[in-house]
Amino acid sequence: MFVVELQFECFDNTTLSQVDSAINGLMDALRYNGQVLGREFPIVIDDGVFRVRVVCPEKESLHSRYNSPQVRACYEQLTLSCLLTPKIKVLGVDLNSDSVAENFSPSWQVLYTTYVHSCSPLRSGDTLLPIPLYQTGATIDGDYKAVVKWQTEWQAFDEIQMAIRSQTAVSMALAEIGDIDSELFVRGRELCRHIEVTTEIPTYYYQYRVGGKDKVTELARRCPSCDGEWRQSEALHGLFHFKCDRCRIVSNMSWNFQ
């Protein structure tokens, strides 16, 4: 991942509210297209220049060839707000982020995230490294907002079950990320199907697993969708102990027994 600075200059009189709305609108559109990562984008005024620092998957993530219709519309709004097209400066590699996958057409891929990750939730099944969403072509209504929204919700439930003491809240959160009939799970699998059809790459959904009776029983667990055998001889990437090629689901052995 790379830290990039966008520099916005005014070409005519405008207002701070217009500038704020135009820049933040662009940042949201870029985020929902997978071109910038994270959710907070502070704007700094420096000698009449507005600066925003973001994290991008690649050096050229902000190139116009990746822009969605929504991003292009936001660039037009900049002009209406008396702002020039931003100058883009790559500051360097973000040492706290993963690198993106080298191959955007892996043998398989998986929709996987956690509350500590801000990178693309689409991971290469060969390396588990993130694949930039804008590199997939699997848009819905022009961008990847549906995938980013799914990721935001999944991470919120994950953080609840990791940080909240209320058993009611934890149970609710675990049901959403672990129950195949939950609204979030169903929506995530639909996204996987759409991505697979578009990319022609087998796309799996990650089922979070915690609890269980004991390790022996856990290892004998069968696919929650088709009841088929899905245990792997060795955990894929040290994480996925189970993988069902029929249902396109992967899962971990319960964290209680690891």
Side-chain angles (χ1 to χ4, degrees):
M1 310 294 176
F2 293 85
V3 179
V4 179
E5 183 175 88
L6 290 82
Q7 303 173 9
F8 299 83
E9 297 181 30
C10 301
F11 63 81
D12 204 346
N13 292 331
T14 185
T15 65
L16 283 177
S17 61
Q18 285 181 297
V19 169
D20 179 77
S21 177
I23 294 178
N24 280 311
L26 175 61
M27 291 301 103
D28 282 343
L30 289 169
R31 177 192 171 216
Y32 289 135
N33 201 44
Q35 290 170 273
V36 301
L37 305 172
R39 282 179 271 178
E40 296 184 5
F41 310 105
I43 302 172
V44 177
I45 304 176
D46 180 16
D47 290 333
V49 177
F50 299 89
R51 303 178 188 272
V52 182
R53 287 190 178 181
V54 298
V55 176
C56 295
E58 303 175 280
K59 279 186 177 181
E60 295 191 348
S61 295
L62 299 181
H63 193 284
S64 59
R65 66 175 172 270
Y66 299 126
N67 290 349
S68 65
Q70 293 86 335
V71 170
R72 290 195 291 270
C74 286
Y75 272 113
E76 293 176 3
Q77 188 59 46
L78 290 179
T79 302
L80 296 177
S81 300
C82 302
L83 290 169
L84 296 171
T85 299
K87 296 177 182 178
I88 297 172
K89 181 180 180 182
V90 177
L91 301 181
V93 175
D94 178 15
L95 298 180
N96 290 324
S97 298
D98 291 330
S99 299
V100 300
E102 293 184 3
N103 180 10
F104 299 149
S105 297
S107 60
W108 65 286
Q109 54 198 6
V110 56
L111 200 60
Y112 166 80
T113 191
T114 75
Y115 79 97
V116 298
H117 289 118
S118 61
C119 61
S120 168
L122 186 65
R123 304 293 193 103
S124 165
D126 299 330
T127 63
L128 205 58
L129 292 175
I131 298 172
L133 292 175
Y134 56 81
Q135 292 283 10
T136 68
T139 58
I140 299 176
D141 297 328
D143 63 9
Y144 305 90
K145 185 174 183 178
V147 179
V148 175
K149 283 288 191 181
W150 168 88
Q151 180 182 26
T152 301
E153 291 181 44
W154 205 102
Q155 291 176 333
F157 287 123
D158 189 31
E159 187 165 13
I160 286 173
Q161 67 94 14
M162 291 293 291
I164 304 299
R165 293 186 178 182
S166 168
Q167 191 56 49
T168 300
V170 170
S171 296
M172 176 273 295
L174 288 176
E176 283 296 322
I177 61 179
D179 187 342
I180 65 169
D181 295 319
S182 74
E183 189 276 336
L184 185 67
F185 204 107
V186 170
R187 180 151 44 92
R189 290 185 75 185
E190 284 299 320
L191 289 172
C192 285
R193 293 187 184 99
H194 171 74
I195 293 170
E196 177 164 337
V197 168
T198 306
T199 63
E200 300 182 342
I201 298 171
T203 306
Y204 292 69
Y205 188 81
Y206 169 60
Q207 178 195 36
Y208 183 88
R209 174 69 174 173
V210 71
K213 181 181 178 181
D214 53 52
K215 186 172 183 179
V216 173
T217 304
E218 181 65 18
L219 289 175
R221 188 160 61 96
R222 300 178 73 83
C223 173
S225 183
C226 69
D227 197 41
E229 176 62 44
W230 65 332
R231 180 182 171 185
Q232 302 296 295
S233 58
E234 184 176 342
L236 304 173
H237 307 298
L239 174 61
F240 305 130
H241 298 81
F242 305 96
K243 180 173 179 275
C244 181
D245 296 322
R246 175 189 298 177
C247 302
R248 299 290 199 255
I249 300 175
V250 294
S251 186
N252 59 282
M253 180 173 67
S254 173
W255 294 110
N256 294 65
F257 310 116
Q258 293 193 47

